Amino acid sequence: MATRLKTVQYSFPILGSLTNNVATNLTQITVYLPETGTKTFRKVVAKLTCDDIISATGGSITARTLSLRLGAAAYTTVTNATTLTNSAENLSLYYSADFTSHFTTNWTGTSMTCDVQALVNQSTGTTLGMVNVAVTLDITYEYDDTSTTQLKTVWIPLNAPVSTLATAKPGTANDTIPALDTYLPEASKTYRNMYITVQGNEHRNNVTTDHTLSMQIDTLTAQVSGNYEGALATDRWFRYIWNISSLGMTTNATHSFYLWASIARVNHPQVWLTVTYEFNATTTTSVMQSLMLPMEFGSPMGGVAATDYQRSTRELWIEEPGTITLQRLATYVHWDQSGNIGGLNARIGTGSFVAYTDVASIVAGGNGCMIRNDAGATLARGRNTLQADIYRTDTADLGSNVSAFWIVNYTSGKHASGVGAHNKTVFWNLSTNGTAAANELNTIAATAPVIPETNYFLNALGTRYEYLSDGVGSPAGVSVLVERLAGEGGVQWESAYTDIGETDPEVGLRTCYSQVRSLFKRWPGDPGDGRMDLGTSRRWRTVLANNCTSFDNLDLMFTYHTITFTAADVISGGFTGTVYLDLCRTLTNEMVAATTRSGDGAFSFTWYDNTEQLYVSASDGTKVGRSQDTLAS
């Protein structure tokens, strides 16, 4: 038995409207965690999004509440009673709350019903209430990987328009949802929860007419959102969740996906399908890896010509066996702006630049786009590099606080150590909106992720910082900091993410992603100079400049595998006493592991790749030797 860690996601069916200051139940769901034995819940976070319908003056919110229960247990309730002050604009609300203790106390068996109640209390504005009320659950838990039936969540990119949405159902589908039964290759699948996320900026461009958002799969029942109120002419960042678990979509055939709005707006949104399903881990022979990888760009976003783009790259190490086949690939870019950006272009890999039409002008929150190009990379076992470029021709609105996340889907064979040893992405919440007041500087109590496996290789490590600004402050500078402890060469605060901002002083949700793998040990015993141990408890900080306060949610996102190889040989030639052995990468001469032994004899290293050559250097203080280059086996 090996105890392993993973994150799965569930959504509740969306609640069309929410009466002001009335606790209301969303439709009950069943949460399935089918692995046998005791589960250790590490993080369970519920996230609420909804949109106000204020038609005059702007609406401040004095309380937002989430209540959750499993089965017949009493509700656990989390309330933030600190006023979220309006900025005279319409508001898309974001709120997160931690229910880890409730799951730890009340979970039994392999499935339980789950209820959630939402309450939002607005104290100002005309026409109170909320629409498009969505709640999702991120469940991070440890499980027994010898279980025959296991659960996983995958994210499948879906194309979205690069300009305004059509004002009627398009004649040609925006994208094709793959036949899940074959796209997801695991054996004996049972689909437990499926939902489509659409998020982006409204892109009203000073127009005050209300609009709705519509989605449809083939000719099945179309989903129409509640009215996005336009009276205050606000370009707000919104998130809409469409749960399609009970829609009746078959999983043995492809399906057409359509997206449109009642008025031409919602330029270049971000869209993906989340599927949570059970499968037989014993009889599975081919496996889908679905990863979410954070990436930074830096600011501004390049320009003012196609030759002056801003590029960002990240590595992805693949160690699963068999044929590696890239399935779907997309990057989702986020940024700040204070006016519409002209000449916005982006691409993946060496593909052609795609032009986006941007008209956001009174910006209450962030902006973003997605770049879908399944041919934008070639994946193989070993080291892979993902890259994306972005630029604008605008000389006034430059685009700042630019970051992104990738969704990467690829299939492989199954490793002898089981599916749980493969690459997977884990969300580890560091702080929720919870009950905390809005702050300009938020210091998070010391905490540490727990990776239960003895040997692991961190492929990606970063933060996702979601901050809902308060009042009329302008969040024009963003920092995420991590504490270096005294025993690590500190005490000091290391920069996990720092960027400038250029945005309107309006209440709204903004998101930025960081890469912090360079600050932390990438594997147990990583000898890299100055690297900190991810498993050591430490504090984190989020900071907004320009005298702006916000309600913050900070998550760690890390992707890792536990597939190991061995680099072993025998040292000879008359070495005596303590012999110091260093395992090094041939390509870069980087030392990746170290050990000692007494005199001549056998040695062995655990390593995490067998595609790039290694060598071992040996020294006893007098004699020095070097092995031939070879691969771990």
Side-chain angles (χ1 to χ4, degrees):
M1 168 187 171
T3 299
R4 302 200 184 277
L5 181 72
K6 65 180 165 187
T7 298
V8 297
Q9 293 185 310
Y10 283 85
S11 83
F12 291 80
I14 202 160
L15 180 65
S17 62
L18 181 63
T19 302
N20 190 60
N21 202 27
V22 175
T24 304
N25 276 77
L26 278 72
T27 301
Q28 183 186 81
I29 65 170
T30 299
V31 173
Y32 297 87
L33 303 176
E35 295 84 7
T36 56
T38 301
K39 299 167 186 69
T40 300
F41 293 97
R42 292 299 185 182
K43 296 289 176 178
V44 180
V45 174
K47 296 184 176 182
L48 164 74
T49 54
C50 52
D51 309 297
D52 79 13
I53 53 175
I54 298 294
S55 57
T57 72
S60 294
I61 296 176
T62 57
R64 44 266 187 230
T65 297
L66 280 175
S67 301
L68 179 145
R69 72 174 180 183
L70 290 170
Y75 279 98
T76 293
T77 297
V78 183
T79 297
N80 193 312
T82 304
T83 297
L84 170 60
T85 304
N86 79 84
S87 58
E89 303 294 341
N90 281 115
L91 170 69
S92 285
L93 178 65
Y94 173 86
Y95 180 63
S96 60
D98 191 310
F99 292 99
T100 309
S101 294
H102 185 95
F103 269 70
T104 299
T105 301
N106 295 292
W107 183 270
T108 58
T110 57
S111 67
M112 295 190 74
T113 59
C114 185
D115 291 285
V116 69
Q117 289 179 351
L119 178 147
V120 177
N121 185 17
Q122 295 168 304
S123 59
T124 65
T126 302
T127 319
L128 304 181
M130 292 283 171
V131 294
N132 308 325
V133 183
V135 175
T136 59
L137 286 178
D138 292 354
I139 305 172
T140 299
Y141 67 105
E142 295 178 7
Y143 67 99
D144 177 0
D145 80 331
T146 64
S147 303
T148 296
T149 303
Q150 297 187 22
L151 187 75
K152 69 189 303 182
T153 292
V154 302
W155 306 284
I156 302 174
L158 296 177
N159 274 329
V162 298
S163 183
T164 57
L165 296 188
T167 57
K169 182 179 178 180
T172 301
N174 297 103
D175 203 354
T176 299
I177 296 174
L180 297 179
D181 290 352
T182 52
Y183 183 82
L184 306 173
E186 293 86 359
S188 304
K189 292 180 291 293
T190 302
Y191 302 96
R192 292 306 190 187
N193 198 266
M194 295 189 287
Y195 61 96
I196 293 173
T197 299
V198 179
Q199 63 181 23
N201 196 287
E202 289 187 30
H203 284 92
R204 290 185 168 275
N205 196 22
N206 286 313
V207 176
T208 59
T209 308
D210 296 355
H211 73 274
T212 59
L213 185 71
S214 295
M215 286 177 276
Q216 191 171 23
I217 295 173
D218 295 333
T219 58
L220 298 173
T221 303
Q223 179 76 1
V224 182
S225 73
N227 266 350
Y228 286 89
E229 176 59 53
L232 303 182
T234 307
D235 291 320
R236 51 183 167 176
W237 179 268
F238 72 93
R239 183 177 299 162
Y240 190 89
I241 304 293
W242 181 25
N243 186 303
I244 62 171
S245 304
S246 301
L247 183 66
M249 182 186 78
T250 60
T251 56
N252 61 355
T254 62
H255 299 279
S256 296
F257 170 70
Y258 300 89
L259 176 66
W260 70 99
S262 58
I263 295 176
R265 55 176 57 129
V266 191
N267 294 29
H268 48 77
Q270 301 174 342
V271 186
W272 67 93
L273 168 65
T274 301
V275 182
T276 296
Y277 61 100
E278 297 176 3
F279 62 97
N280 187 310
T282 302
T283 58
T284 286
T285 58
S286 181
V287 182
M288 172 65 76
Q289 282 68 229
S290 187
L291 310 178
M292 195 174 281
L293 309 172
M295 187 175 76
E296 294 178 38
F297 271 94
S299 295
M301 59 170 55
V304 294
T307 55
D308 190 21
Y309 48 78
Q310 178 76 334
R311 171 168 290 177
S312 189
T313 63
R314 68 155 311 113
E315 285 185 346
L316 171 60
W317 289 82
I318 294 175
E319 303 299 335
E320 292 86 6
T323 301
I324 305 301
T325 304
L326 174 62
Q327 299 294 339
R328 293 200 178 196
L329 179 71
T331 187
Y332 296 76
V333 187
H334 291 254
W335 66 86
D336 289 345
Q337 65 189 61
S338 56
N340 60 75
I341 296 178
L344 178 64
N345 285 264
R347 69 179 178 186
I348 286 178
T350 57
S352 299
F353 276 107
V354 176
Y356 297 81
T357 302
D358 188 84
V359 297
S361 55
I362 303 174
V363 187
N367 203 348
C369 70
M370 65 177 289
I371 316 162
R372 167 84 183 283
N373 185 353
D374 298 340
T378 301
L379 299 186
R381 292 195 68 253
R383 187 199 306 256
N384 298 269
T385 300
L386 305 174
Q387 74 179 41
D389 303 327
I390 190 167
Y391 76 94
R392 41 78 202 157
T393 60
D394 200 313
T395 58
D397 296 290
L398 308 182
S400 60
N401 194 22
V402 190
S403 64
F405 70 90
W406 292 81
I407 292 178
V408 183
N409 286 182
Y410 69 91
T411 53
S412 72
K414 185 175 74 172
H415 192 267
S417 297
V419 174
H422 292 206
N423 272 327
K424 68 267 193 175
T425 298
V426 172
F427 302 147
W428 191 283
N429 180 262
L430 296 171
S431 71
T432 62
N433 303 146
T435 60
N439 288 292
E440 185 176 354
L441 185 153
N442 178 32
T443 300
I444 299 164
T447 186
V450 177
I451 298 178
E453 295 95 339
T454 301
N455 293 306
Y456 59 84
F457 180 92
L458 281 170
N459 234 316
L461 175 63
T463 61
R464 174 174 56 196
Y465 178 34
E466 298 169 296
Y467 51 105
L468 183 65
S469 59
D470 180 45
V472 294
S474 179
V478 183
S479 295
V480 178
L481 307 173
V482 58
E483 182 181 30
R484 181 181 291 277
L485 304 175
E488 299 168 327
V491 176
Q492 67 186 56
W493 289 96
E494 297 278 2
S495 176
Y497 181 86
T498 301
D499 208 338
I500 59 174
E502 177 191 3
T503 186
D504 287 344
E506 311 293 358
V507 173
L509 177 66
R510 296 165 176 87
T511 305
C512 56
Y513 293 84
S514 79
Q515 293 166 258
V516 297
R517 187 172 180 263
S518 61
L519 294 176
F520 288 90
K521 294 183 183 295
R522 297 158 289 179
W523 52 82
D526 182 353
D529 290 343
R531 291 180 180 270
M532 300 179 288
D533 185 355
L534 184 64
T536 298
S537 185
R538 66 184 76 248
R539 295 179 297 168
W540 293 75
R541 276 182 175 167
T542 56
V543 188
L544 289 181
N546 209 34
N547 195 31
C548 180
T549 61
S550 67
F551 296 92
D552 297 348
N553 186 92
L554 183 65
D555 297 313
L556 274 177
M557 301 170 62
F558 52 92
T559 297
Y560 74 101
H561 71 78
T562 60
I563 296 171
T564 60
F565 306 93
T566 301
D569 208 335
V570 175
I571 185 171
S572 61
F575 284 84
T576 59
T578 301
V579 183
Y580 297 88
L581 301 169
D582 297 337
L583 181 66
C584 304
R585 283 187 169 124
T586 300
L587 185 64
T588 61
N589 291 318
E590 177 191 12
M591 183 177 70
V592 297
T595 190
T596 62
R597 63 154 292 116
S598 180
D600 291 347
F603 65 85
S604 178
F605 292 93
T606 296
W607 185 231
Y608 302 93
D609 170 67
N610 70 342
T611 67
E612 292 191 354
Q613 291 192 325
L614 307 163
Y615 68 87
V616 176
S617 65
S619 173
D620 64 3
T622 302
K623 290 181 179 292
V624 177
R626 182 191 187 280
S627 73
Q628 292 182 335
D629 297 335
T630 189
L631 298 175
S633 58

